[in-house]
Every structure is written in C-alpha cells, then in structure tokens.
C-alpha cells in the first residue's frame, strides 16, 4: 500500500497525539524571572512553590541574586542572574520548597539541577546538608532522593553526592555512590547533578556530575538501584537543613524532562500505523 502525503500528515498527527504528552509534561526553571534579592526573597508562593508541611516544621527557601548575595556564593558559570537556596535553622525546622512536576507520561526521564553547598553557622555542623527529591504528593512518600552530606561535619570542608533509593527487593537504602568522583566535592563551587530513570521499570539508569568550572563530567551507572516500588512521582522538593543551624544548599537551572522522542521512534510509529492500515484493507 502506498502512503500518500496526505496519509503521512494524518499519520504524523495521530502519532503526535501519543508523543505530545511526553514533549510538554516537563519542568524547567532558571529562577531568573522570580522576585529575588541579594538578601533573599521568599520563594513560597512564587511559580507554584509551597511549604509541604507548613510552619513550624518548614522554613522558606529564598530567591537570591548572584550579585551581592549574602551567602557569599560565586557566580554559577552556567547561571543567569538568580538562584534559590535553603538554610536549615535546625530545632526541628528545615527549609523546604515543593512544586507539582506533572510528569504526565511514562518513559525515561532526567531530573537535573545545578547545586552549590556552603555553611553559614558555627562548627561543628551536623548531617544532612540537604536534598532534591521526587515526591508523590503524599506526606512522607518519596520516589528517590539526591542527598548532599558532609564528608566531615566537624570541618564542613567537603561534601558527598549520596543517594536514597531502593534495591531490587524494595528495601530503602541510604548510601554513598560507589565512585570517588561523587565524593569529597568542593564547597562554594557549582556542579550539575543529573539522574536518568525509567518510569516504565522504576530503574535508576545513570547519574552524571559535571564540574561547571572545568566542564569535567563523571558518570555512574548503578546496578540494582530503583525508585520506590510502585512509585508515581508528581512533585519535586528542595530541602535544606541539619541538626544545627547553617547548612545551606543552593540550586539553579532545575529541570525534569523526558527523553526526547527520536526520529527512529517516530519512524517505528509510522510503520506501525501503516501496517495497521494495511490490515484493514
């Protein structure tokens, strides 16, 4: 059967009905369009961000300008004019900012963000520094956590890019990534941390850490590491805090995006549609 130009256009239109949700159900922000200041302007209430638990358990993240920011963080080489940061005040209160992500489709996704760590209190500090997590809109239920932890809370001079995820049996695990390139990272320095995962299988596929000053990229492909069994993430959360005041975690260029639909996938879809039409003849 010959597929005419008109038939091809119709087929593409039909296929796009299926791939469009993956193309548009995503989140990306550089925080530059939000209200910010050198001393920090409350993020809560901007761009859909809210406090998941509310006061007194939650403190606000703030939007800072790079210029003159009171945290003393350097300009992100990939940054614009602003970033967000949370400082844990301790005493049972932690900095949090949560937002609806709206995945809207299965497939392979990447959650990524620029991150910088600093400490504004009196040493020694305490774990944890803070985290980025995929949450499920239910208090206390998360799918996976990218967790920043101090190498040594007595000095707060380096940090590890740790993970809270699950093994194949569904047991929750907090562990260091078994790659030294994800450990003993510099403070007051910007990195990009990305995690690829499949919402079809719940498997964590790959992690990447990029030094945004040198451009060096390190990659880790975990074995037998997964999202929570039955995970259905629909929110993301930024978290900052620890057992004592002063742990500060900054983020920029946050994104949760699906793997692009390739031309190969498009071709397979068109072939399937053509075969279906042949069967109807």
């Amino acid at each position: 059967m010959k597929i005419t130009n008109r038939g091809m256009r119709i087929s593409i239109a039909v296929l796009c009905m299926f791939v469009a949700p993956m193309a548009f159900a995503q989140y990306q922000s550089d925080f530059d369009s939000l209200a910010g200041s050198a001393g920090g302007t409350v993020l809560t209430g901007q761009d859909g961000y809210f406090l998941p638990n509310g006061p007194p358990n939650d403190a606000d993240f703030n939007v800072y300008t790079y210029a003159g920011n009171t945290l003393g963080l350097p300009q992100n080489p990939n940054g614009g004019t602003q970033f967000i940061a949370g400082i844990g005040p301790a005493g049972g209160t932690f900095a949090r900012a949560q937002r609806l992500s709206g995945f809207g489709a299965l497939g392979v996704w990447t959650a990524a963000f620029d991150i910088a760590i600093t400490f504004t209190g009196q040493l020694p500090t305490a774990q944890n520094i803070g985290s980025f997590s995929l949450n499920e809109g239910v208090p206390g239920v998360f799918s996976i956590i990218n967790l920043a932890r101090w190498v040594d809370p007595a000095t707060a001079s380096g940090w590890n890019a740790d993970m809270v995820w699950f093994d194949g049996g569904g047991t929750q695990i907090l562990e260091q990534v078994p790659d030294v390139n994800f450990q003993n990272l510099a403070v007051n320095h910007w990195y990009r941390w990305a995690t690829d995962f499949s919402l079809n299988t719940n498997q964590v596929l790959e992690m990447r850490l990029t030094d945004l000053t040198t451009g060096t990229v390190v990659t880790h492909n975990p074995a037998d590491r997964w999202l929570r069994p039955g995970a259905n993430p629909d929110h993301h959360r930024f978290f900052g805090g620890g057992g004592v005041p002063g742990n500060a975690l900054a983020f920029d260029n946050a994104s949760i995006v699906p793997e692009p639909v390739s031309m190969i996938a498009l071709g397979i879809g068109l072939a399937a549609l053509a075969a279906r039409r042949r069967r109807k003849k």
Side-chain angles (χ1 to χ4, degrees), residues 178-235:
D179 184 327
V180 295
N181 293 300
F182 288 78
Q183 302 165 17
N184 201 23
L185 304 170
V187 298
N188 299 311
H189 191 91
W190 285 96
Y191 297 87
R192 185 159 185 80
W193 191 355
T195 306
D196 299 342
F197 55 93
S198 170
L199 288 181
N200 296 78
T201 64
N202 274 7
Q203 187 172 9
V204 182
L205 303 174
E206 183 172 287
M207 299 174 60
R208 293 175 300 283
L209 194 67
T210 304
D211 185 316
L212 294 180
T213 298
T214 66
T216 301
V217 181
V218 293
T219 301
H220 175 69
N221 297 99
D224 191 33
R225 291 297 178 261
W226 310 79
L227 277 65
R228 185 187 67 82
N232 185 29
D234 56 3
H235 287 71

Side-chain angles (χ1 to χ4, degrees), residues 28-151:
Q28 297 184 80
S29 180
D30 59 10
F31 308 111
D32 288 350
S33 64
L34 305 183
S37 62
T41 300
V42 172
L43 172 62
T44 307
Q46 298 195 65
D47 192 32
Y49 279 98
F50 64 92
L51 298 179
N53 304 309
N57 297 311
D58 293 344
D60 295 297
F61 263 68
N62 288 283
V63 184
Y64 293 85
T65 59
Y66 281 103
N69 75 86
T70 54
L71 297 181
L73 286 172
Q75 174 70 40
N76 178 349
N78 285 1
T81 59
Q82 297 188 148
F83 63 93
I84 65 169
I87 305 173
T93 301
F94 303 95
R96 292 184 176 95
Q98 186 162 323
R99 186 187 189 279
L100 181 69
S101 307
F103 287 86
L106 296 178
V108 175
W109 289 73
T110 298
F113 47 84
D114 299 348
I115 182 172
I117 306 296
T118 193
F119 181 64
T120 64
Q122 297 293 317
L123 292 171
T125 183
Q127 305 289 15
N128 296 311
I129 307 171
S131 66
F132 172 89
S133 62
L134 298 179
N135 290 61
E136 303 189 29
V138 178
V141 179
F142 67 90
S143 301
I144 191 173
I145 302 176
N146 296 68
L147 181 65
R149 289 170 55 85
W150 295 113
V151 174

Side-chain angles (χ1 to χ4, degrees), residues 7 9 19 23 30 32 37 59 71 79 106 121 156 158 164 177 200 210 215 222 240 245 249 252 264 268 274:
R9 288 196 298 270
V19 302
D30 59 10
D32 288 350
S37 62
L71 297 181
L106 296 178
V164 181
V177 175
N200 296 78
T210 304
L249 198 65
D252 200 354
I264 293 176
I268 292 172

Side-chain angles (χ1 to χ4, degrees), residues 1-3 7-19 265-281:
M1 182 191 72
K2 180 180 179 181
I3 301 178
M8 179 67 75
R9 288 196 298 270
I10 293 173
S11 298
I12 291 174
V14 172
L15 187 60
C16 284
M17 292 174 62
F18 296 95
V19 302
L266 185 62
I268 292 172
L270 289 173
L273 287 170
R276 184 179 302 174
R277 291 187 65 181
R278 284 197 297 270
R279 288 195 296 270
K280 292 181 178 179
K281 292 295 185 180

